[in-house]
Amino acid sequence: MTQDNDPIGEAIARLRERAQRQGAAETGSDEAGPRLAIDAERHRLRQLEALLFAAAEPLDIETLQARLPAEAEVEALLAALQADYAERGVRLVEVGGRWRFETAPDLASLLEEVKEEPRRLSDAGLETLAIIAYHQPVTRAEIEEIRGVAVSKGTIDLLFEIGWIRLRGRRRSPGRPVTYGTTDAFLDYFGLSAIGDLPGVADLKAAGLLDSRLPPGFEVPDPGLGLRGEGEDDALDLTGEDAPDFHVDFMEDEEGEDD
């Protein structure tokens, strides 16, 4: 940077000239005047720096002038501060007539933060997930029978994509439909140690999720019914007389199939 393009040097030179004209008369010393003036200017630079750092939004010259001493030359101070920060990690820039500090462009990659935006489940997705959790292993037809409406492929695909459901096998019935169940990721997300820890009727009522006046015969199924262990696809209890038919699944290793 040449002397002609040195804002700090120019600002100091102007200060020296002004101090030389006024310093001797005001201070009685040819040396004290310039030194005091330079110290005052540096103090204003610090004040300007503090204002810009603390500001929640860019500041215009009028706002800065109102906050600084009346004798402060804001434009000269901004130029000096801008030059001082030119090679630092942050720099002083003018945006639309206002001034602010920002990260140096070549260092922007250091501050990048990648966040995975969670996909919000629709009401249909939540209902489908709840049915699978409480009735697993359950087929799509059974989900639709419980909900009373068709289940879109997109809803099932989204639950697979999130990682909360998995295939449990095929039903020993005409058409051999696939059945669905929850995953360990589902348990982890909802803070459950086992699927049997899902809330029952009393818990749902206490949380205000169920009307206190339920229809006759209403019950919440036991999500652990018929399961002998967690994470075992073939751990199905086929002996319980009260187990619903859709718990009678089998897990055969078939060519081309993957659980």
Side-chain angles (χ1 to χ4, degrees):
M1 181 179 295
T2 64
Q3 181 67 26
D4 293 339
N5 297 324
D6 183 1
I8 297 180
E10 294 175 359
I12 293 177
R14 289 196 300 270
L15 290 171
R16 288 184 184 275
E17 293 175 2
R18 186 172 62 186
Q20 287 172 356
R21 290 193 303 266
Q22 302 176 358
E26 295 177 356
T27 65
S29 171
D30 292 339
E31 297 181 359
R35 185 175 64 252
L36 292 176
I38 291 172
D39 289 343
E41 198 74 358
R42 287 175 175 168
H43 181 62
R44 289 166 194 151
L45 275 173
R46 294 180 65 238
Q47 291 176 317
L48 176 64
E49 183 180 34
L51 286 172
L52 291 167
F53 263 119
E57 58 185 9
L59 301 178
D60 55 32
I61 292 179
E62 291 74 17
T63 301
L64 292 170
Q65 187 69 72
R67 296 293 186 90
L68 293 171
E71 63 274 13
E73 297 180 6
V74 176
E75 293 185 4
L77 291 172
L78 285 169
L81 197 61
Q82 187 177 45
D84 191 29
Y85 275 88
E87 302 299 327
R88 299 193 187 185
V90 294
R91 64 176 191 170
L92 181 62
V93 297
E94 182 182 6
V95 180
R98 298 185 175 191
W99 294 81
R100 72 180 183 189
F101 282 108
E102 65 176 31
T103 304
D106 60 314
L107 301 179
S109 61
L110 296 175
L111 304 179
E112 290 181 355
E113 182 177 4
V114 179
K115 290 186 177 181
E116 182 177 350
E117 189 69 21
R119 299 183 63 178
R120 181 180 178 183
L121 283 179
S122 62
D123 290 343
L126 290 172
E127 291 174 4
T128 301
L129 178 63
I131 292 171
I132 293 174
Y134 279 96
H135 294 268
Q136 62 184 305
V138 60
T139 67
R140 181 170 176 170
E142 291 159 352
I143 296 172
E144 293 176 342
E145 181 180 357
I146 295 171
R147 289 194 63 221
V149 294
V151 177
S152 69
K153 183 177 181 297
T155 298
I156 297 293
D157 289 345
L158 178 57
L159 293 174
F160 270 115
E161 181 181 336
I162 297 175
W164 287 350
I165 66 171
R166 64 187 176 93
L167 295 177
R168 288 292 307 273
R170 291 185 177 274
R171 183 66 44 77
R172 185 181 295 144
S173 61
R176 300 181 60 208
V178 297
T179 60
Y180 303 102
T182 54
T183 64
D184 289 341
F186 168 84
L187 297 177
D188 291 340
Y189 184 85
F190 289 97
L192 303 171
S193 59
I195 197 65
D197 292 334
L198 281 169
V201 175
D203 298 322
L204 294 174
K205 281 185 177 180
L209 299 176
L210 286 181
D211 195 315
S212 58
R213 294 172 295 179
L214 298 175
F218 178 87
E219 61 180 14
V220 173
D222 180 359
L225 185 62
L227 297 178
R228 296 181 307 186
E230 292 299 322
E232 301 179 12
D233 288 335
D234 59 349
L236 299 175
D237 183 359
L238 307 181
T239 61
E241 296 181 356
D242 296 333
D245 293 339
F246 58 78
H247 278 173
V248 185
D249 287 285
F250 65 95
M251 305 301 297
E252 293 182 345
D253 294 331
E254 299 184 6
E255 183 178 356
E257 290 191 2
D258 184 5
D259 294 342

